[in-house]
Amino acid sequence: MPPRPRMLAAAIVAALALGAQAVPAAAADGPAGDSATTTSRGVEIPAFYTPPSELPGADGILIRHEPLPLALSLPGIDGPLPGRATRLMYKSTDANGAAVAVTGAYIEPAAKWRGDGPRPLVAVAPGTMGQGDQCAASMALEHPLRLNGQTVSVGYEDLSVYRLLLRGVAVVVTDYIGLGTTDRLHTYVNRVDGAHAVLDAVRAARSLDSASVTSESRVGLFGYSQGGGATAAAAELQPSYAPDVPLAGTYAGAPPADLTEVTKAIDGSDLAGALGWSLNGFLQTEPALRPIADRYINEAGQEALKDLSTMCVGDALFGYGGDSSTHWTKTGQSISDVIRAEPVLQTFLAEQRIGSLKPAGPVRVATGTGDDLVPHGQARRLAVDWCGKGAEVTYVPVLLPDVGSGLLNHFAPLLTDQGNAISWLTDRLSGEPAGSNCWSMPVQP
């Protein structure tokens, strides 16, 4: 097998984990009385993450919570720095209207909020973590890097969380539907599931007794890559799904707004494994697609999908980086070819398209002009679509050279633009107007 860039890519992604150290696989014990823990790739999933048999009726209702020790924390006069964390489980609704339990974390910052108004709240929608329950972002706050010989899980999203906390902004992080919780598969990049998980995380955080945020606190959304798609979808669905969660601002970085284009781009890339996560998620949401999958996916493809369903980003880089989906089909067609041949799949992906609704509040869309993993063109199209609907859009093309790696072309803008994105969002949380540069789109790259 020819050398692949997966080793370098995995190392660079790991470096984003704030200098985290390797930790034992065992996680913290769940609350007394819950069902037994489960194991995913050698990592014990705490009993906390097993949903109860009955769920509350209202979306955003807290099901349970417990203290969450942060791996990167220092003692302070008024409490731990940068804040005190709480693990959450809350109720949400999936794309099919079914009640689901979602996990996440709320962090009360030690720093004072120095902006206008009460302490604000930002919901962080994590970028791609994987599909195994051990990959959940809330667990990554406790264990930023797991290396146990069976899985490589990296909490690179911790960086954005800590930067917000240092500004005195309270943060709630969602694990998304099916990630962490042991009762179902994570519906990766599902537009509705991601949006609902983000918006209901805000509701859950506001109801936590130990939280300083209330219904009067301004709310912002922050996400890049998968997270950018989730926050973009949340901004579109907020008026109808969560009118009680008005949005002061939404940052959507590198949003996968058009999954048809993204599917084509990730096939054969460093992160080809994400194609398997997408297919698994589609089949979880729409079982009627199963006959099509059975007709096309060969034995190797079925084994890959099963394997990927318990993998994190690091695992996928090592195991499937550079793979082509032509090896997964009985006909030798790529998954994109299969989509073009099946109108049902085209319709399903069209329903996942972000940009058909006007987003609530001001939005900031950032995309690396050299990003060929989550293609720049389809992210720019989202900004154009929103501008056409009269939205208040700040479009930011991040100009960086092509370094020859799809993964690095995608992740470099995350770090390059993150400080500016947080500053923009903090200004919105202080009540400052955003303005719009829609007028400049004809000349923007």
Side-chain angles (χ1 to χ4, degrees), residues 396-407:
V396 181
V398 183
L399 305 175
L400 293 172
D402 184 345
V403 297
S405 164
L407 189 68

Side-chain angles (χ1 to χ4, degrees), residues 173-193:
V173 182
T174 181
D175 290 333
Y176 298 123
I177 291 177
L179 191 59
T181 47
T182 57
D183 62 332
R184 59 181 288 159
L185 193 66
H186 171 44
T187 44
Y188 180 70
V189 297
N190 182 289
R191 177 179 67 93
V192 175
D193 281 13

Side-chain angles (χ1 to χ4, degrees), residues 338-363:
V338 173
I339 291 170
R340 283 192 291 270
E342 295 290 339
V344 174
L345 292 178
Q346 295 171 28
T347 299
F348 179 83
L349 291 180
E351 292 171 351
Q352 297 296 323
R353 177 76 180 268
I354 305 170
S356 61
L357 300 172
K358 180 181 178 180
V363 292

Side-chain angles (χ1 to χ4, degrees), residues 6-22 72 144-147 152-160 163 313-314 317-318 407-408 411 414-415 418:
R6 61 179 70 150
M7 291 289 291
L8 174 62
I12 291 176
V13 173
L16 302 181
L18 307 175
Q21 300 177 1
L72 303 173
L145 179 61
R146 290 189 191 269
L147 294 170
V152 180
S153 177
V154 180
Y156 63 88
E157 204 63 76
D158 293 2
L159 177 59
S160 62
R163 294 179 79 164
V313 170
L317 289 171
F318 282 105
L407 189 68
L408 297 183
F411 271 99
L414 165 66
L415 295 179
Q418 190 174 82

Side-chain angles (χ1 to χ4, degrees), residues 60 73 88 105 133 143 172 182 197 207 230 262 354:
S73 182
L88 308 176
D133 288 329
H143 301 300
V172 63
T182 57
S207 68
V262 176
I354 305 170

